[in-house]
Amino acid sequence: MKRVQYDRYGGPTRMYIGESKLPQLGPKQVRVVVSAAAINPFDWKLRQGAMKLFINRKFPKGMGTDFAGVVAAVGSDVRDINVDDEVFGTMDFKESGAFAEEVVLDSHLVAKKPASLSFPEAACLPIPVMTAWAAIFDKAKTSQGSHLFINGCTGAVGASAVQLALARGVKVSGACGTASLETAKAAGVDSVFSYTDRRLQAQKGKFDAVFDTLGTLDVGHGLSMLKKGGVFVDINPTLRRVARGMFSRRYKLAFATMGIKRLSAIADLASEGVLRPTVGLVVPFADAVSAITAIESGTRIPGKVVLSL
Ligand SMILES: NC(=O)c1ccc[n+]([C@@H]2O[C@H](COP(=O)([O-])OP(=O)(O)OC[C@H]3O[C@@H](n4cnc5c(N)ncnc54)[C@H](OP(=O)(O)O)[C@@H]3O)[C@@H](O)[C@H]2O)c1
């Protein structure tokens, strides 16, 4: 079985397409033939070693987290997923490896693919939507009538947050690059600013929640944008930002894993048309290494890049 893997933590040159043996199927697990796998920044951060303290030291390690495909086998205790079901899902970050011909994973990490979505579209959903949900609902507790500001409102996480928020009656403002301003407006963002817009400095005391998807908003400035009792949510913790945020009870961190139980709810929202993932580019699996290298190195492709198998 072919997969993208690496023998040591490090930069893009560590990745290669190599052979790997699938683990034996456990009673609560499923085996899925992968049709599409979406590339998330998390994937190269894992390969760079960002989570190495939490992961075993066995190499080679597989790359890739979010995927969609067809179930080829189910363990003896699996009840709700059957062979031939079309599913999408996300690997546990400790056992990633979705940039592969096949994956074996716990059945609670997959859900049935909405019929209205293609495999590449469904593969775009898990990490971005789980993260957005955890940030704006679990941590910031936005609800109908709240006003939310999203820094990076056109990225995968930001766009998911816009769609989830609007569906719940949350008013959304946000910032994005100048090339993305029209996209943000078309998505329903009420007041849109470019990152360098000076009017951003005047947005003080206006929002119930500020969600920084990029880790570029000054924490002090983000906190000053909040109404009394508002919450600043960060998904790109650095020691400096966490230390800065520790002086405020209104600074919170959110992680994709917090939303793992929600894959079925995410599938329902996608079926209803609330969640509309944007595939920017579909790349053949054979070109996976060059595609990951390009976006990791800053090549800007609007929408998600998805590997096709
Ligand atoms: N804590 C967690 O569990 C968690 C989960 C998921 C993601 N994250 C982190 O959140 C961040 C955003 O993730 P994402 O999946 O939303 O990323 P993404 O889809 O690549 O979006 C990145 C955003 O960055 C902006 N950007 C500016 N220059 C860029 C360039 N050269 N290349 C790519 N983007 C550029 C884009 O905004 P414009 O269009 O406005 O320029 C875009 O909105 C990443 O740092 C990721 O690691 C954390």
Side-chain angles (χ1 to χ4, degrees), residues 45 50 212-219 232-246 251-255:
K45 290 183 181 178
D212 184 5
T213 70
L214 303 179
T216 54
L217 196 62
D218 175 75
V219 177
F232 179 105
V233 189
D234 194 354
I235 56 170
N236 290 281
T238 59
L239 278 178
R240 193 158 171 237
R241 283 168 69 82
V242 172
R244 173 75 179 79
M246 273 165 58
Y251 174 89
K252 299 192 180 189
L253 291 168
F255 298 97

Side-chain angles (χ1 to χ4, degrees), residues 41-197:
F42 187 58
D43 298 319
W44 64 76
K45 290 183 181 178
L46 276 178
R47 194 211 56 233
Q48 288 165 358
M51 304 293 279
K52 65 180 167 193
L53 293 179
F54 306 100
I55 300 177
N56 69 37
R57 294 173 182 210
K58 245 173 72 187
F59 287 94
K61 290 190 186 301
M63 255 188 103
T65 316
D66 290 351
F67 66 90
V70 178
V71 176
V74 298
S76 53
D77 291 350
V78 175
R79 298 280 168 262
D80 44 352
I81 305 275
N82 298 299
V83 170
D84 288 339
D85 278 352
E86 296 184 347
V87 295
F88 71 107
T90 187
M91 307 289 292
D92 185 315
F93 75 90
K94 292 180 183 163
E95 285 151 26
S96 58
F99 300 159
E101 291 171 328
E102 294 186 63
V103 290
V104 166
L105 75 170
D106 289 356
S107 63
H108 76 276
L109 299 173
V110 303
K112 293 197 178 139
K113 178 180 83 62
S116 55
L117 294 191
S118 64
F119 285 107
E121 286 171 327
C124 294
L125 289 169
I127 284 189
V129 181
M130 293 189 314
T131 310
W133 191 317
I136 67 170
F137 296 147
D138 295 344
K139 291 293 179 178
K141 309 230 179 288
T142 60
S143 57
Q144 174 140 23
S146 303
H147 194 177
L148 167 69
F149 182 89
I150 303 175
N151 188 47
C153 60
T154 52
V157 176
S160 303
V162 171
Q163 292 166 8
L164 289 171
L166 292 177
R168 279 213 189 167
V170 175
K171 184 175 164 186
V172 181
S173 296
C176 59
T178 44
S180 307
L181 290 170
E182 289 311 316
T183 306
K185 282 181 201 155
V189 180
D190 188 64
S191 302
V192 191
F193 304 86
S194 77
Y195 299 123
T196 51
D197 191 328

